[in-house]
Amino acid sequence: MNDNSLTIAFTVDRTPDQAFAAITDVRGWWSGEIDGPTDELGAEFTYRYQDVHRSTQRITELIPGRRVAWHVVDGYLSFVADATEWTGTDITFDIAPTGDGTEVRFTHVGLAPHDECFENCSSAWRFYIATSLRSLINGGSGQPNPKEGDAS
């Protein structure tokens, strides 16, 4: 999209509505503790993974079968000097039918290559979006890490 964002896209052999349902089932594909609704316009949910990452997302767009957007209203990353790098960024999922299924285009607007967290964050997003979310859409089961306290 531009130099101040990360975009990951993939195509699945599922309908746009199936992709939308999986995206809004955040607990099914993103690791960590998630509190709050992830499928209500205007709602906020918090994400926490150990003491490494905490963030609060406000759901700013929820168009069934077409688009999901979150605004990061508060973020904390323990592994970078500016722990608030995510604060004020936007995360979008654009969903479009294709000839052979549905394209999902994820964009983290404001996650820029010059940010200290870019390498680690983009690598994590690539796994959670291109592997875990894609798996949830295709087969009904994502691949988030085990919950804290769960046996390995």
Side-chain angles (χ1 to χ4, degrees):
M1 182 177 242
N2 64 43
D3 289 342
N4 292 319
S5 65
L6 168 72
T7 299
I8 300 164
F10 61 85
T11 301
V12 290
D13 185 20
R14 296 290 186 262
T15 67
D17 288 335
Q18 289 171 309
F20 178 86
I23 291 164
T24 59
D25 178 15
V26 178
R27 291 168 184 86
W29 58 267
W30 199 10
S31 295
E33 297 300 318
I34 297 170
D35 294 314
T38 60
D39 59 354
E40 296 174 18
L41 183 63
E44 291 185 0
F45 67 93
T46 58
Y47 169 88
R48 182 182 70 80
Y49 184 73
Q50 301 175 350
D51 292 326
V52 175
H53 176 191
R54 286 189 317 271
S55 58
T56 301
Q57 286 69 222
R58 179 180 303 123
I59 301 170
T60 56
E61 288 185 79
L62 208 55
I63 304 169
R66 295 193 45 218
R67 185 170 169 91
V68 175
W70 309 332
H71 179 71
V72 181
V73 295
D74 184 48
Y76 168 80
L77 302 170
S78 69
F79 55 92
V80 293
D82 178 2
T84 64
E85 279 187 7
W86 276 33
T87 302
T89 63
D90 292 288
I91 296 167
T92 62
F93 300 83
D94 290 299
I95 305 162
T98 65
D100 58 351
T102 298
E103 181 185 69
V104 174
R105 180 172 298 275
F106 163 90
T107 304
H108 190 155
V109 180
L111 179 61
H114 63 266
D115 291 334
E116 187 179 355
C117 87
F118 186 82
E119 185 175 334
N120 287 333
C121 293
S122 62
S123 175
W125 273 137
R126 281 186 184 87
F127 171 76
Y128 290 119
I129 300 303
T131 301
S132 187
L133 175 59
R134 185 179 197 167
S135 177
L136 181 61
I137 295 168
N138 275 327
S141 180
Q143 300 176 10
N145 299 335
K147 297 250 184 270
E148 292 177 40
D150 285 356
S152 301

